[in-house]
Amino acid sequence: MTSTTALSTAVRAAGVAELLWRSDGRSPGALGVVPLWLGDRPAVALPWAQVEAAHAAAAGGEAALVLSDPRLAGPGWQPLVATGRLTLVEDGDGSLFTEQLLDQELRKHPPSRALADSPMLRREHWWYLPRLVLLLDPLDVVPGGRRDGPADAVLAVDDDGLHVRTVRVTDWDADPLEVTGAPPGARGPAVLVGQEISVPDAERWTVHVTSGHCADGRLTGVRPAERRALEPVPGLRVRVRRQRALERGCRQALRAAGHR
């Protein structure tokens, strides 16, 4: 068991993390996230464009926040797996995020600076400040494994509970996938999550999720990720289109929830 102080230090130092949750007998849900710290708990602050994922994670009953990626991490980082239950706070006006979490995100996640690094930018991009804040009540915190290259991924198996390990995949194009380091004896629907990120700007961030059924260190019925490699450097048109899509998704979700 790792202390709350060690967890706080590691979360505050981490640049990216994996959030995983149980999903009603199906393969666990998964997101790449920027881990934050709120009060005495780990937190994730999703834009409202990700409202469906936020509600699914909160309804899952059991979740894990995994610190496996040393990239963009600061002093005090260590690989950890924190499991527990998620509580969703709908911060519809952005006050919670702006007052207590924004500074952390700006420090960790450079793309946010282009949208919220000054009062003028925050007025222009007001839709980016309301957040869906997921708070993890950690029931168990244990040492994890670090991902050091594209062969490494985080494996989550739902065997009447989440079993999480950092593993190595021998050949991503195989079916079944041979997985080194899988939880001994764990059998059930599973996901393999990996992340590729451009350092230090984090402008390009590819989160890939491969799903299937895990047993005896193998993943069968493989549903591969659409893309595992880091996305190409975007041009101006792609950047503008991406930001407009994010804005549109946030505005629509906020209106649907009655916040705008």
Side-chain angles (χ1 to χ4, degrees):
M1 178 71 74
T2 302
S3 71
T4 301
T5 300
L7 176 61
S8 170
T9 300
V11 167
R12 291 176 185 275
V16 293
E18 296 82 27
L19 181 68
L20 303 127
W21 62 90
R22 297 188 71 187
S23 188
D24 243 357
R26 295 170 293 171
S27 296
L31 284 176
V33 297
V34 177
L36 307 171
W37 191 263
L38 179 62
D40 58 355
R41 289 181 287 178
V44 171
L46 301 179
W48 273 79
Q50 293 180 283
V51 63
E52 291 184 5
H55 282 283
E62 183 181 359
L65 183 68
V66 185
L67 308 183
S68 71
D69 198 323
R71 292 171 294 183
L72 300 176
W77 180 87
Q78 59 178 310
L80 295 175
V81 179
T83 55
R85 296 185 66 89
L86 290 169
T87 300
L88 175 60
V89 179
E90 294 192 354
D91 180 28
D93 63 3
S95 57
L96 173 64
F97 176 72
T98 303
E99 293 168 11
Q100 301 192 50
L101 295 171
L102 176 59
D103 286 347
Q104 288 184 58
E105 182 169 295
L106 292 176
R107 175 175 57 82
K108 292 183 176 208
H109 192 56
S112 292
R113 298 171 197 164
L115 299 173
D117 201 19
S118 71
M120 183 178 295
L121 287 172
R122 291 193 281 275
R123 282 194 299 272
E124 181 180 354
H125 306 117
W126 61 265
W127 47 267
Y128 190 65
L129 301 177
R131 292 299 177 97
L132 295 148
V133 180
L134 290 162
L135 296 167
L136 180 70
D137 294 307
L139 302 176
D140 192 24
V141 184
V142 297
R146 56 183 283 162
R147 291 187 294 110
D148 288 316
D152 298 333
V154 173
L155 172 69
V157 184
D158 188 348
D159 186 359
D160 292 325
L162 281 180
H163 300 262
V164 180
R165 296 284 193 283
T166 298
V167 299
R168 177 152 292 188
V169 178
T170 306
D171 179 3
W172 280 102
D173 295 322
D175 186 358
L177 288 178
E178 299 291 336
V179 180
T180 303
R187 308 170 68 92
V191 290
L192 284 160
V193 186
Q195 301 194 61
E196 297 301 330
I197 191 165
S198 58
V199 178
D201 56 41
E203 181 184 25
R204 293 175 291 151
W205 187 6
T206 300
V207 181
H208 57 88
V209 179
T210 297
S211 59
H213 187 279
C214 185
D216 304 320
R218 306 169 86 196
L219 200 71
T220 57
V222 176
R223 294 180 292 280
E226 183 177 335
R227 180 188 189 91
R228 291 195 313 276
L230 185 63
E231 64 183 79
V233 177
L236 178 59
R237 184 174 299 177
V238 172
R239 291 186 176 97
V240 171
R241 190 162 57 237
R242 183 181 297 170
Q243 181 174 315
R244 286 178 177 170
L246 177 60
E247 177 179 357
R248 186 166 55 251
C250 289
R251 283 174 174 266
Q252 289 174 349
L254 285 163
R255 280 197 302 269
H259 293 298
R260 291 283 171 173

